Amino acid sequence: MSRERVRGGNLVRLVLVLGVLCACHIRASAASATPSEKTFLLASDVHFNPMADASLVTDLAAANPTQWESILARSKSTSFSQYGEDTNWWLLQSSLDQMRTTLPHPAFILLTGDLIAHQFPQTYLKTTHDTNREDYRKFVLKTVEFVALEFRKRFPDTKILFTPGNNDENCGNYSVRADGTFLHDTADIVRKLAQGDDEFKGSWEALGSYDIPHPTIPGIRIISLNTVFLSARYQAAKFSEDCGPTDSTAPADLFTWLESRLNAAQQAHQKVWLMFHIPPGIDGYSSVVKYQVLSKSGAASATEKMCASAVVPMWQPKWTSQFQTLLTKYEGTVIVSLAGHTHTDDFRLINSAGAKPELVLISPAISPVYRQNPAFRVVTFANDGSLSDASVYYLTNLELASSKTRGEWRKEYTFSQEWKMGRPDAASLAALYEQIKTKPEVRDEWLKLYNVSSSAAYLPAHSAPGFYCAVEELDPETYSNCYCSPTVSHGSVVSRP
């Protein structure tokens, strides 16, 4: 065989190898651009405040939301929102950019409520002195549209599912009205984010809730539930009547609707994920703080009774009880529940004494208003719809970050590695709960993660029962038995702003 033929054969083989390598590279590149089929982003409590720089509000109000980014970028205040403040443009931008960097192609995104900043009506009036209610209504809608545009800019093809929070309303906190102005105004925005249909839109307008197929798993549905209606603080308001209080059957209507959807899923042999903003049970933080206030002037002999009077429910207790009953009736149908609202990294165990307790995973907030570090979750799930694992990513340099000093984000922990308990399901979290109650070192670590590693939101260890009792004790009586026991030490806590 001649050297020329050998060289020619080698050249052919080399070309073939290079071709294979190039093809592999192309396939790998294509794969990297496809959605992560079993991983999604979970964020909560964005609480965006476009009025953080009051000098820009007039221009924002006059502009289309597509122009807001360039207006907000003119802000002379360059720092990220600080502890005790809601999310300004610089923090929102950094948060969304980090979500994109962390998981460029999520299977989908879940947002568990509160896109709008606290005290929004009051801030708008104080900033603009504009008493025209329709001007304010338009500004609220533009704010929601802008946040939606910013998510869509980074995730152009991803289904983004949003559930309303207690601040997501024209009339202010806990006042959203079924079939009201805010739900009608935002219906198209929410539908387009979720890539929903006309039925989706109608359900959102009626109750701020919807039921859609899971984006990636056949035989599973996601039900977004407007639990603001169930809050102990809920009072419907009518925008067209100066936000005056109005009667509402929304809580009962919501349960009727939910049971019909769970029954339909059960009949079709389907499983369900629930997503909502306010979790059921007790507000541990508010209960602890209220007890501290009462105890300053109370007699020592009345401590236990005083503690019981300080318990603050998240939902009306009757709705929590009804929810527990409903989950028992449809045991095995609901397999995942996801919530926000508390701004902490927390969880609830529903029907914990039963054979199959249910888990509610509560996600921390983007907003640092309650002094936790801004954070979001990356969650993986299995083919059967169960959660496989979850990681929290958080901003580490909030006090230094600005438009000129980049926000530094990192992974805080991954559930399976941190707790050595496998997947984040009810059984694992029940075991973790027992360790939190009995092992000081576990409790201290849990409290650190509860506040997303923020020393600014430090809670003394002797106040821990007020927080961990809320995990499993969902009604005022059982929570009181846990937290108000004479053997429990009730120390001071750092109050929220």
Side-chain angles (χ1 to χ4, degrees):
M1 185 180 294
S2 69
R3 292 182 180 179
E4 286 76 13
R5 289 181 63 187
V6 171
R7 291 190 187 117
N10 288 339
L11 181 60
V12 169
R13 283 192 291 273
L14 178 60
V15 169
L16 289 173
V17 169
L18 289 174
V20 170
L21 289 174
C22 288
C24 290
H25 175 72
I26 291 170
R27 285 196 295 270
S29 299
S32 66
T34 58
S36 304
E37 293 184 359
K38 296 295 184 292
T39 310
F40 69 95
L41 283 169
L42 177 58
S44 193
D45 295 271
V46 173
H47 288 294
F48 176 54
N49 180 17
M51 300 174 283
D53 186 337
S55 69
L56 304 176
V57 176
T58 299
D59 289 345
L60 291 172
N64 186 285
T66 57
Q67 301 170 302
W68 274 28
E69 188 172 318
S70 61
I71 296 172
L72 291 164
R74 302 198 320 247
S75 177
K76 294 180 181 179
S77 174
T78 61
S79 296
F80 283 22
S81 306
Q82 294 301 295
Y83 296 118
E85 299 174 349
D86 271 328
T87 304
N88 66 5
W89 163 237
W90 306 118
L91 175 56
L92 178 66
Q93 178 180 238
S94 178
S95 302
L96 295 178
D97 286 347
Q98 186 60 42
M99 291 181 201
R100 170 71 180 177
T101 298
T102 302
L103 191 64
H105 305 286
F108 50 90
I109 299 172
L110 301 186
L111 303 176
T112 51
D114 272 352
L115 291 185
I116 296 175
H118 295 86
Q119 303 293 313
F120 210 79
Q122 297 87 337
T123 303
Y124 179 84
L125 183 60
K126 181 180 178 181
T127 303
T128 66
H129 306 290
D130 182 356
T131 58
N132 186 308
R133 297 180 56 72
E134 285 302 313
D135 288 346
Y136 171 70
R137 176 182 174 184
K138 290 175 184 176
F139 193 78
V140 171
L141 182 58
K142 286 181 178 183
T143 300
V144 174
E145 187 175 354
F146 175 71
V147 177
L149 285 169
E150 290 298 311
F151 270 96
R152 186 55 75 208
K153 175 182 176 181
R154 292 160 179 82
F155 303 98
D157 303 314
T158 304
K159 288 188 177 182
I160 302 173
L161 309 186
F162 172 65
T163 198
N166 48 289
N167 285 280
D168 296 321
E169 163 59 8
N170 292 321
C171 288
N173 215 5
Y174 297 98
S175 64
V176 65
R177 186 170 68 91
D179 205 31
T181 302
F182 179 83
L183 295 180
H184 279 266
D185 285 350
T186 57
D188 265 331
I189 297 173
V190 178
R191 178 187 63 80
K192 288 176 182 177
L193 284 175
Q195 301 170 18
D197 55 16
D198 289 341
E199 183 179 353
F200 178 107
K201 181 181 177 182
S203 183
W204 175 269
E205 290 175 336
L207 288 169
S209 304
Y210 52 86
D211 174 6
I212 64 170
H214 191 284
T216 63
I217 307 179
I220 294 181
R221 306 194 64 80
I222 296 182
I223 297 177
S224 173
L225 196 65
N226 185 2
T227 57
V228 178
F229 293 145
L230 310 179
S231 168
R233 298 175 62 184
Y234 177 63
Q235 173 59 69
K238 197 169 185 178
F239 184 78
S240 61
E241 296 180 2
D242 294 327
C243 289
T246 184
D247 293 335
S248 176
T249 61
D253 294 342
L254 183 68
F255 266 100
T256 300
W257 178 83
L258 175 60
E259 180 157 21
S260 72
R261 304 318 305 154
L262 292 178
N263 182 63
Q266 186 183 69
Q267 294 300 315
H269 305 289
Q270 295 178 325
K271 305 297 183 183
V272 168
W273 285 19
L274 293 179
M275 61 178 291
F276 41 80
H277 182 62
I278 305 175
I282 305 301
D283 184 336
Y285 195 101
S286 294
S287 298
V288 169
V289 171
K290 185 176 179 181
Y291 174 73
Q292 295 302 319
V293 172
L294 292 175
S295 65
K296 289 180 180 179
S297 58
S301 60
T303 297
E304 192 171 345
K305 183 178 180 181
M306 186 190 311
C307 176
S309 70
V311 177
V312 179
M314 289 283 199
W315 296 3
Q316 288 279 5
K318 67 176 181 179
W319 300 129
T320 297
S321 177
Q322 189 166 331
F323 187 64
Q324 290 177 289
T325 300
L326 202 59
L327 290 191
T328 298
K329 181 177 180 180
Y330 293 96
E331 187 177 274
T333 297
V334 177
I335 57 174
V336 171
S337 291
L338 304 164
H341 184 62
T342 69
H343 288 227
T344 57
D345 185 347
D346 202 1
F347 62 99
R348 296 287 181 270
L349 294 169
I350 302 174
N351 295 328
S352 57
K356 292 184 177 180
E358 301 278 352
L359 167 68
V360 179
L361 185 64
I362 301 173
S363 286
I366 297 298
S367 167
V369 69
Y370 294 141
R371 312 186 74 83
Q372 288 86 13
N373 284 315
F376 61 88
R377 288 192 198 274
V378 172
V379 185
T380 58
F381 55 95
N383 289 329
D384 63 358
S386 61
L387 302 186
S388 302
D389 216 337
S391 299
V392 171
Y393 291 79
Y394 79 110
L395 182 64
T396 65
N397 66 333
L398 179 65
E399 293 176 301
L400 300 175
S402 70
S403 61
K404 300 175 182 178
T405 302
R406 181 178 176 180
E408 298 293 336
W409 295 77
R410 70 176 177 87
K411 184 190 294 185
E412 184 186 29
Y413 77 100
T414 296
F415 180 86
S416 60
Q417 297 173 5
E418 174 70 26
W419 301 116
K420 306 295 190 292
M421 289 183 176
R423 62 179 58 202
D425 56 18
S428 293
L429 271 299
L432 176 59
Y433 175 58
E434 291 302 316
Q435 291 190 23
I436 291 168
K437 289 192 297 183
T438 59
K439 297 183 177 181
E441 67 278 10
V442 175
R443 184 184 311 137
D444 289 346
E445 180 66 11
W446 177 71
L447 281 174
K448 185 191 82 169
L449 300 178
Y450 177 91
N451 286 318
V452 199
S453 297
S454 172
S455 58
Y458 174 70
L459 304 173
H462 47 249
S463 295
F467 306 104
Y468 70 64
C469 287
V471 167
E472 194 171 78
E473 313 303 342
L474 303 187
D475 66 89
E477 183 178 356
T478 58
Y479 178 84
S480 295
N481 292 339
C482 177
Y483 176 49
C484 302
S485 166
T487 61
V488 173
S489 172
H490 303 97
S492 60
V493 297
V494 178
S495 298
R496 294 182 177 185

